[in-house]
Amino acid sequence: MNPREVAHLFQLEVALDLRQRAAWGGMLLYVVSAVYVAYLAVRGTLGTATWNALFWIILLFAAFNALARSFQREDGGRQLYLYTLAHPRNVVLARALYNAATMVVLSLLSLLCYVLFMGSGAMAKADLAQFVLAVVLGGIGFAAVLTLIAAIAARAGNGIGLMAILGFPIVLPMLLLVMRTSKLALDGVAFSVNATYFGGIVLLDVITVTLAWLLFPYLWRD
Amino acid sequence: MKGWWWKVLAVVLLLIASIAALRVPLAPGILNVSKLSLSPGPAELVITGYSTRFDDATQVLIANGGQYLCASRTKAIDATHLNAYFEVPAGMRDDSSYVIADGMAFDTPLYTDSLGSGMADNGCAAPAPRTKAFLFPNLNRLDESIRNLFFHVPMWFAMIALMGISVYHSIRTLASNSLEQDRKAASAVHVGLVFCALGLVTGALWARSTWGDFWTSDVKLNGAAVTALIYLAYLVLRGSIADPYKRARLAGIYNIFAFVLLVLFLFVVPRLNAVDSLHPGNGGNSGFNDLDLDNRLRVVFYPAVLGWILLGAWMCELRDRAARAAEHLDR
């Protein structure tokens, strides 16, 4: 692993993405639409558990939508060019970092949008710092798990459909864990109670990124 | 014998374990006692047993706070039903009285009132312990379904073993780029999914008879569902790639990635979320270790586990040979 190369690749990701502002617009519109559909469908106040569940379902689909693009940008030639310049492990690490950053921004914007439409009644008793931490860690977790899946789906040439089939069962442990954590945060429990779950999420992130880092070199070559 | 001794072992173990699982009788036990509470005065209890041999000479007594009260008269209706007549004195020590018939205690105590400092000495002694035969434990609600232990649990052991074999071949696929290893990995997943399906069916039937429903939302059951979904997705992934070398690599990567996360989900997350589970061995529920105080279940269980794992490996080998033959025919 070469930190400088990873940093360069990360900058490349940012530059490429800033050129494609429509993609960001698409992601945000997806979240806003999903939240608005939920708002129209619910019409009224939700209990804490339902409020929390609905938020995570929206964020999960937003994550699939946002991360599916991450390996589809490159056509064969440009990918080959990139991989001759950089080590594939650095490429996947930079991509995972960039996806994590994307998901942090996306999950915070989703939360804002969700609170705007669905009301913050469920957050009355919440430990806000813990809840936001859970949302951020959850977003990073989705990015960690789905980066390699997105790469596999893109290589199989079968887009978001295959990504959903491959990704849902694998992301489920992470989803259950973050839902449990954020529900506890909404109930306003002490940090010491929730610390095990936060630790679990971080551990899962580290393990999945390590696996992606180990396995990716076998993925890119033809 | 060279090379196929383990297949003979599989057949022998499975025959012994399955015959024992289905033929060894359950220990006799008491299913029901007609009264919920005891008050001073005459009391008539109807005791319903399970695979018992009641007769008019059967000893019935009530244990209360370390003291015993013998039945004044017992009358067997048939081998599993018994009338017992008691003269209940006032002043028993404990508000819970346990009915013991023929040395077997009924696990729900009768609520007892008019407590005092204990019964007067009545010459009724502790029951003689039952002579032990090789019988499976008889537990309320589990009843005869305890035999499912030898079928339901080994299915999951065999499935995890097969998925482990599959991951081993997937790692070798990535290391060597060999299509043969990839075919072995896929064969193991196919056979593993058969065991997964059998585990789900036997589990659902067991859940219906003990919990009242075929499916409940439970960490252990979620784990089973996720396992099935992951390996079905693995097959979908294989089916959607035409180029065999690409298929071998992508399927291998997914297999390794999924297996590690699956192991985390099955064995780590349930311990984090251990508060709510119905399944034995989770959430503070008693597992095997409390069920089986005298190791009679283990004697049958471990051979059954080994037998099913070996059978799975054998099925995997056959499946792989069939796939290889099909490849040769296609050429």
Side-chain angles (χ1 to χ4, degrees):
Chain A
M1 191 180 81
N2 179 350
R4 189 178 286 174
E5 193 170 286
V6 173
H8 268 299
L9 287 165
F10 187 81
Q11 281 169 7
L12 177 72
E13 296 287 326
V14 176
L16 281 176
D17 228 26
L18 285 178
R19 257 184 245 163
Q20 295 188 313
R21 292 206 197 125
W24 266 96
M27 281 194 298
L28 291 182
L29 203 57
Y30 186 92
V31 170
V32 173
S33 314
V35 171
Y36 195 66
V37 167
Y39 167 72
L40 287 180
V42 171
R43 294 221 169 240
T45 48
L46 290 176
T48 314
T50 326
W51 189 89
N52 183 44
L54 197 56
F55 172 70
W56 282 108
I57 291 170
I58 290 173
L59 191 59
L60 179 69
F61 280 88
F64 269 96
N65 192 39
L67 299 177
R69 309 179 307 120
S70 78
F71 282 90
Q72 280 174 342
R73 246 197 315 247
E74 292 124 15
D75 46 33
R78 195 159 81 182
Q79 191 181 349
L80 200 60
Y81 179 58
L82 180 63
Y83 293 141
T84 52
L85 290 180
H87 194 282
R89 284 192 171 143
N90 292 335
V91 174
V92 77
L93 209 56
R95 195 66 56 93
L97 284 176
Y98 182 69
N99 282 345
T102 312
M103 280 309 298
V104 168
V105 176
L106 191 66
S107 49
L108 289 176
L109 287 176
S110 305
L111 181 61
L112 202 68
C113 181
Y114 190 70
V115 169
L116 215 62
F117 279 105
M118 307 299 288
S120 57
M123 292 163 83
K125 283 186 298 176
D127 182 335
L128 263 186
Q130 258 189 70
F131 181 66
V132 172
L133 181 63
V135 170
V136 168
L137 280 181
I140 296 174
F142 289 164
V145 176
L146 293 179
T147 298
L148 189 70
I149 297 297
I152 294 176
R155 294 295 281 167
N158 203 341
I160 192 162
L162 189 60
M163 175 156 166
I165 293 170
L166 298 180
F168 272 127
I170 288 197
V171 89
L172 211 69
M174 179 61 84
L175 182 70
L176 291 179
L177 210 54
V178 290
M179 278 172 85
R180 172 71 57 109
T181 314
S182 69
K183 173 70 172 57
L184 285 175
L186 283 176
D187 291 340
V189 300
F191 184 76
S192 54
V193 178
N194 230 342
T196 337
Y197 295 114
F198 283 122
I201 297 172
V202 172
L203 187 72
L204 220 53
D205 285 358
V206 171
I207 290 172
T208 48
V209 172
T210 310
L211 277 174
W213 184 79
L214 278 173
L215 293 172
F216 192 72
Y218 299 101
L219 188 69
W220 70 273
R221 60 171 190 227
D222 265 320
Chain B
M1 282 300 273
K2 200 179 150 210
W4 50 276
W5 60 270
W6 57 277
K7 295 173 187 171
V8 177
L9 183 64
V11 172
V12 170
L13 286 176
L14 279 180
L15 274 176
I16 292 173
S18 301
I19 290 172
L22 295 172
R23 295 294 300 170
V24 171
L26 238 56
I30 299 178
L31 289 179
N32 192 36
V33 171
S34 62
K35 278 169 114 63
L36 294 171
S37 62
L38 280 183
S39 299
E44 182 192 344
L45 300 179
V46 183
I47 296 168
T48 311
Y50 185 84
S51 74
T52 47
R53 289 190 193 135
F54 289 147
D55 55 32
D56 289 347
T58 301
Q59 187 198 24
V60 182
L61 38 79
I62 285 173
N64 183 302
Q67 291 185 306
Y68 298 93
L69 173 70
C70 288
S72 52
R73 191 161 65 85
T74 56
K75 172 127 190 52
I77 304 166
D78 56 34
T80 56
H81 293 82
L82 183 74
N83 273 325
Y85 303 91
F86 288 93
E87 281 300 327
V88 181
M92 291 215 253
R93 279 180 195 160
D94 199 296
D95 62 0
S96 300
S97 294
Y98 289 87
V99 175
I100 300 171
D102 201 11
M104 299 168 286
F106 182 50
D107 57 6
T108 313
L110 305 191
Y111 175 74
T112 311
D113 55 18
S114 307
L115 299 183
S117 56
M119 289 177 267
D121 188 22
N122 56 13
C124 183
R130 291 181 60 82
T131 48
K132 293 199 170 182
F134 191 83
L135 301 166
F136 292 144
N138 185 343
L139 298 150
N140 261 350
R141 273 180 293 283
L142 272 180
D143 304 324
E144 291 280 358
S145 84
I146 199 167
R147 301 174 192 283
N148 203 359
L149 175 74
F150 310 119
F151 299 98
H152 171 67
V153 188
M155 294 304 152
W156 296 110
F157 274 77
M159 190 210 72
I160 288 287
L162 283 163
M163 296 319 184
I165 291 174
S166 172
V167 165
Y168 167 74
H169 287 301
S170 280
I171 292 172
R172 292 195 55 183
T173 307
L174 291 186
S176 66
N177 236 346
S178 123
L179 289 182
E180 196 181 334
Q181 293 295 330
D182 179 55
R183 193 186 59 224
K184 285 183 176 163
S187 303
V189 167
H190 273 113
V191 178
L193 273 172
V194 171
F195 281 94
C196 181
L198 289 173
L200 284 176
V201 170
T202 51
L205 292 174
W206 209 359
R208 176 77 182 125
S209 80
T210 53
W211 301 341
D213 218 336
F214 288 112
W215 190 270
T216 59
S217 180
D218 194 282
V219 277
K220 206 81 171 184
L221 277 72
N222 288 338
V226 166
T227 314
L229 285 179
I230 282 180
Y231 287 103
L232 289 172
Y234 171 83
L235 295 183
V236 169
L237 176 66
R238 294 187 68 86
S240 70
I241 306 168
D243 174 31
Y245 285 96
K246 195 173 188 179
R247 177 170 62 213
R249 258 182 299 116
L250 294 191
I253 290 170
Y254 184 71
N255 195 9
I256 297 168
F257 192 57
F259 185 77
V260 174
L261 291 188
L262 183 66
V263 167
L264 285 178
F265 189 45
L266 289 180
F267 302 111
V268 181
V269 176
R271 280 171 183 62
L272 284 176
N273 288 4
V275 265
D276 43 7
S277 179
L278 284 170
H279 198 281
N282 283 84
N285 290 343
S286 63
F288 202 43
N289 293 337
D290 312 290
L291 271 182
D292 185 28
L293 293 175
D294 46 9
N295 290 333
R296 283 173 194 174
L297 296 173
R298 285 172 210 273
V299 174
V300 182
F301 176 74
Y302 291 129
V305 167
L306 188 61
W308 284 107
I309 289 177
L310 290 176
L311 184 73
W314 188 0
M315 284 166 74
C316 181
E317 189 192 289
L318 288 177
R319 162 97 209 176
D320 184 56
R321 279 165 61 185
R324 192 171 62 202
E327 271 175 22
H328 277 289
L329 286 177
D330 275 350
R331 256 178 218 156

